[in-house]
Amino acid sequence: MFYCREEELRLMNMRYRKDRFECIVIYGRRRVGKTALINEFCKDKPTIYFSALNASSQENLEALSRAIFACKTPDTVSTPVYSSYDDALDEITAMSREKRLVFVIDEYPYLARAEQSVSSRLQHIIDHQWQDGRLYLILCGSSMSFMEYQVLGYESPLYGRRTAQFKIQALTYREMTIFHPKLSCQDQALLYGVTGGIPHYINKLDVKDDMDEAVLDNLLEPSSYLFEEPENLLKQELREPAVYNSVLSAVAGGASRSNEIATKVGAESAVCAKYLKVLIDLGILKKESPVSEKPGRKTIYTIDDNFFRFWYRFVSRNMSMISAGRIRSVYERAIKSGYPDYMGLIFEKMCREYLLRYAKELPIVLREVGQWWGSDRETHQEVQIDIVGLPVDGNACLIGSCKYRNEKVGVEELKLLQKYASVFRPGGTFYYYIFSKSGFTQPLLELEKQGRVTLLTLEDLYA
């Protein structure tokens, strides 16, 4: 089943119908659905689909040769190997003169590392032969830093040759409800908290009636696909997976600043910074500073990928008990009981996404939404605000609080939010928003009627 990429598919097909040369760059983290999008697009179209290998240049040339002959003569059992990449590309040129042809190079970074001249070769043939033809070229990759700097970047031989680019993102918390529309809002939120909106993970978790059995059978069971997914992904992408595993364990354990992470990993700060950057490039970690402030001493690192965050929070630290077969006991005592705390940050993420993408009426037009933390100069206490929305114009800000609790939120939360807002920007103009999983007390609801605060439940986020 193909879900949620209808707009990208529409735009790709629109360009296909123009019947002229296209160079489409598609990139995004692994498992996000790039290949599924390309496969859907290529249905019923003449296509050379070449998935590059993490192997030698010669092995990739052999794979490219097989892909060409699979399109040219599908019934051929044995295929010859072209003597060079130039010969293979010349064959593609000849084929594209006869008909509209799609040429996909999936995992392009693998090919570029194996055959370092390939970008220059493609640049030359685009400029001198393909530019005026009908070939539809797709370059796809999961290494986001490579695709951004060495394909789309100014110093790349391919700079300026693309005709369109698509950065495929994880699904939003609302988009992914199409997979299991009958789940409750609470289970939908938990599903987002576990999978992060990655279609491949949603499919592999295979939720039937409730999240508990899905997590037990398809994530915590050692024979399941998802059980070893983070470790396998690190092994596939990185040369020192053990070190990156230590970095992620440190962050999941509460270390958030670079020096703290380096200390826990046992590496020098400068060396650890390189590991952190790689994990950011992969979309697993993110570097965050208080909204409205430049990166500096307040900068922290967090796990941005929900699936990795869940795995390192619950699976990694309980690995011994899980491997011993005590899965259900571990789930009830150490995992399910930790959901309310774990889902707190997930809920904040959902609320910020709601404000940016789904809120129909806001008092200000937002240019940025994030969190803010700092010190109260009067009390010298640390203050943290879950949501700060900065305006495109003017000085008024949106200030929000997110509570994922099994109890109603009362007036005290609004008072605290007002106090924190005065620390963030003394004398400022604010619009207050409070998000709650379990609703609000009557006195707070009365204040909403007076226009002093906007109150939203978990159900409202999905409405």
Side-chain angles (χ1 to χ4, degrees):
M1 194 68 69
F2 182 77
Y3 290 133
C4 302
R5 305 297 185 192
E6 290 83 2
E7 180 61 12
E8 292 90 341
L9 189 61
R10 183 188 71 82
L11 292 170
M12 291 173 69
N13 277 312
M14 178 190 73
R15 291 183 171 276
Y16 183 82
R17 289 191 293 270
K18 291 181 180 180
D19 205 32
R20 65 191 185 199
F21 173 73
E22 298 285 349
C23 178
I24 310 295
V25 178
I26 298 176
Y27 66 110
R29 58 146 294 172
R30 285 197 182 280
R31 319 298 195 225
V32 80
K34 302 181 299 299
T35 300
L37 170 63
I38 295 171
N39 284 336
E40 185 70 19
F41 167 75
C42 291
K43 282 183 179 178
D44 304 320
K45 297 181 178 73
T47 301
I48 298 172
Y49 198 110
F50 167 47
S51 184
L53 308 172
N54 189 12
S56 68
S57 175
Q58 181 60 30
E59 287 174 292
N60 273 287
L61 180 58
E62 292 170 4
L64 175 57
S65 301
R66 288 193 294 271
I68 293 171
F69 277 93
C71 176
K72 187 177 180 180
T73 53
D75 297 328
T76 301
V77 177
S78 60
T79 59
V81 176
Y82 291 96
S83 60
S84 68
Y85 282 93
D86 287 336
D87 287 348
L89 294 175
D90 286 343
E91 181 65 36
I92 293 169
T93 303
M95 292 171 66
S96 68
R97 291 195 182 110
E98 298 174 0
K99 59 187 175 183
R100 182 67 155 155
L101 180 67
V102 179
F103 175 32
V104 179
I105 306 180
D106 202 355
E107 297 297 354
Y108 181 72
Y110 285 163
L111 177 63
R113 283 194 286 265
E115 178 57 44
Q116 295 184 5
S117 66
V118 70
S119 292
S120 296
R121 291 174 187 270
L122 286 175
Q123 174 252 313
H124 184 269
I125 199 167
I126 288 171
D127 290 350
H128 293 89
Q129 297 192 60
W130 291 352
Q131 188 68 53
D132 299 321
R134 303 168 62 200
L135 185 71
Y136 194 108
L137 174 65
I138 297 176
L139 302 179
C140 180
S142 300
S143 175
M144 289 188 284
S145 60
F146 183 97
M147 299 300 288
E148 288 175 343
Y149 298 120
Q150 299 192 43
V151 176
L152 298 172
Y154 181 75
E155 295 183 359
S156 168
L158 292 171
Y159 178 77
R161 274 73 185 179
R162 80 186 189 283
T163 56
Q165 70 283 324
F166 297 93
K167 184 175 183 179
I168 309 301
Q169 305 279 11
L171 302 179
T172 69
Y173 74 90
R174 271 200 191 183
E175 288 173 333
M176 57 178 283
T177 59
I178 194 171
F179 284 82
H180 302 289
K182 294 182 179 179
L183 288 182
S184 67
C185 291
Q186 189 168 328
D187 272 351
Q188 291 284 8
L190 182 57
L191 180 60
Y192 179 67
V194 174
T195 65
I198 300 298
H200 189 65
Y201 297 159
I202 298 170
N203 285 326
K204 290 297 183 182
L205 196 59
D206 193 25
V207 180
K208 299 300 184 186
D209 299 318
D210 63 75
M211 282 292 295
D212 291 335
E213 293 305 315
V215 172
L216 281 163
D217 294 340
N218 302 316
L219 201 163
L220 298 182
E221 167 55 49
S223 64
S224 67
Y225 174 92
L226 292 175
F227 182 74
E228 294 183 344
E229 168 66 1
E231 291 184 336
N232 289 337
L233 200 58
L234 294 181
K235 291 174 184 176
Q236 185 176 356
E237 292 285 340
L238 306 166
R239 294 180 179 177
E240 300 174 276
V243 179
Y244 288 98
N245 181 66
S246 297
V247 171
L248 289 167
S249 295
V251 177
S256 59
R257 303 188 186 277
S258 57
N259 59 337
E260 296 173 342
I261 299 168
T263 299
K264 282 200 170 185
V265 173
E268 295 181 4
S269 295
V271 175
C272 190
K274 295 179 181 178
Y275 294 124
L276 292 170
K277 184 181 182 305
V278 170
L279 289 170
I280 290 171
D281 289 339
L282 288 173
I284 298 172
L285 286 187
K286 72 173 178 178
K287 187 162 68 170
E288 192 170 7
S289 298
V291 69
S292 80
E293 297 185 20
K294 295 181 179 179
R297 61 183 182 84
K298 289 185 179 180
T299 297
I300 61 172
Y301 294 85
T302 60
I303 299 180
D304 192 37
D305 183 293
N306 288 2
F307 182 74
F308 272 75
R309 185 168 175 264
F310 183 93
W311 196 89
Y312 278 92
R313 168 72 179 269
F314 294 120
V315 181
S316 178
R317 65 179 60 177
N318 291 296
M319 188 67 76
S320 296
M321 295 289 284
I322 293 172
S323 299
R326 304 180 65 178
I327 301 172
R328 192 167 291 272
S329 175
V330 168
Y331 181 71
E332 294 294 337
R333 295 182 182 182
I335 299 177
K336 188 174 181 178
S337 62
Y339 280 170
D341 178 60
Y342 172 79
M343 286 298 296
L345 286 178
I346 302 297
F347 190 48
E348 290 178 22
K349 191 174 182 179
M350 292 169 61
C351 295
R352 288 193 283 268
E353 195 164 62
Y354 169 82
L355 291 171
L356 282 171
R357 298 177 65 107
Y358 299 117
K360 294 178 181 178
E361 295 183 8
L362 292 176
I364 58 176
V365 179
L366 298 172
R367 67 173 171 86
E368 184 180 2
V369 176
Q371 60 175 319
W372 184 86
W373 59 93
S375 179
D376 186 336
R377 293 182 180 179
E378 294 183 3
T379 65
H380 302 291
Q381 293 180 333
E382 287 298 310
V383 169
Q384 182 168 344
I385 305 174
D386 298 335
I387 292 177
V388 174
L390 301 180
V392 172
D393 296 306
N395 297 313
C397 296
L398 189 153
I399 302 293
S401 173
C402 309
K403 299 299 174 188
Y404 202 83
R405 299 173 179 168
N406 293 325
E407 58 188 31
K408 294 183 177 181
V409 176
V411 175
E412 298 76 15
E413 187 63 30
L414 176 58
K415 292 180 179 178
L416 187 63
L417 199 57
Q418 291 169 332
K419 178 182 176 182
Y420 286 177
S422 67
V423 175
F424 168 68
R425 187 168 291 177
T429 301
F430 305 108
Y431 296 96
Y432 297 102
Y433 278 64
I434 299 179
F435 299 82
S436 169
K437 170 192 171 187
S438 304
F440 309 92
T441 63
Q442 193 58 41
L444 187 56
L445 290 168
E446 292 297 325
L447 291 179
E448 182 183 37
K449 292 178 181 178
Q450 299 172 23
R452 294 172 61 180
V453 62
T454 299
L455 306 177
L456 294 157
T457 64
L458 177 63
E459 285 73 19
D460 290 328
L461 266 61
Y462 285 98

